[in-house]
Amino acid sequence: MTEGLTRRRGGGGGGGATASPDGPSSSTFDASSSTNPTRRSGGNAAAGVPGPANGGASGGGAIEGRGKVAYDPRDFEDKGEANAQPKLTLMEEILLLGLKDKAGYLSFWNDNISYALRGCILIELALRRRIAMVKDPSRRRLALADRLIEVIDERQTGETILDEALKLIKSSEKYGTGAWVDLMSGETWNVMKIGYQLKQVRERLAKGLVDKGILRTEKRNFLLFDMATHPVVDMHAKEDVMKRVLALLTARTAAVPPQALLKEDIKYRYMRAVVLVCAAYASSVLENALQRLNYDSREAAFARCDDILAEFSTWPFGQTTSSSAGPVSIGGGPTRKRDSGGAGRESVQELVREVRKEMVKSGAQGKETAGAGGGTGEDEDLCLEVVATVLEIFGRMDSLL
């Protein structure tokens, strides 16, 4: 038996262990040597392979008495980017809002969340600067949903669904944002494109949350069939998402409350607050976060979400909001259904200004790293144009009309 990582090598002849520069963890041994009790200590004295017990080197950085640890050097790249991303993706936060805490499943009557989750995948990839609009001046002649998108960074994100979607977009011909949401949702009559559908997204997201310790897996019987459910284990994670939604939609001052934002080291804090409430609205799970409010407060929160969606579903963002403070008419977009009132208007105006500041800051950082292949400020704008396009698609969903 071996302890730690071992590699079998084809050469070496004979049945004994062969020493190599990798130390004992790369030695080759036959069936007879696997029964040798000296293998348990990390070395094979009979074969003359030094181990930690007899003073041999067991490999750089290895703990004494244990084998080497294998690692992928790519896991240590771009740690700065990893630290700038939130623990939960946008899709996972939306799924958490929709899940019943103890029952562990979504409402059977929610027909919108599957489609909206595909849009959230594109938003997440754009915010992580993996996809962007094709840099073509003539694209402005087309509607937002028809403008082509492309992969600008092939590096994996570490999230399985995001990486699968990224590979799909990279390996296929270019489509518009609206077409990609439809294709990944399986809403196409072209049987040749049915392979673009991302399957079991909700179940895979739930399993990802199980791996992160937020959900657990159970099996429930629904009379005719058994179904895997995922009750919430870490209520603090779900409460954090709900508090951010409530803080943004119920703020009584013009300033955006810090409770509505992620940690300061997270990139696009204000933009992520915007897409969270808009995606929850389109997914028909926003009601779950607002159920603690009375009727009037809940209607005011929905009205403010209408205004936010109207301002951020156009490109550039907030076309009716000025850069300086002051009363400005907002909500001129086609998705506005309710009037959020004076405090709501001022709050949305301030949110637009904060997002613009983030864009300027991120664009400046992009220019600084352009020499090292980090992109330009214009690339950042092309990424956020994808976000605006998905929000525009959300605004045209049947549930919001």
Side-chain angles (χ1 to χ4, degrees), residues 166-180:
L166 188 66
K167 183 179 179 181
L168 198 63
I169 298 173
K170 176 64 178 178
S171 60
S172 70
E173 59 182 295
K174 293 182 175 61
Y175 293 105
T177 307
W180 271 118

Side-chain angles (χ1 to χ4, degrees), residues 128-145:
R128 292 173 183 245
R129 206 183 171 281
R130 295 299 192 273
I131 62 174
M133 288 290 181
V134 174
K135 191 175 180 181
D136 182 6
S138 63
R139 75 181 186 280
R140 296 184 178 88
R141 303 174 185 173
L142 303 174
L144 280 176

Side-chain angles (χ1 to χ4, degrees), residues 95-101 104-106 215 230 232 238 288:
L95 188 72
L96 267 182
L97 286 177
L99 278 177
K100 302 177 184 296
D101 296 346
Y105 57 87
L106 297 164
L215 305 179
H230 305 280
V232 180
K238 183 169 183 176
N288 297 349

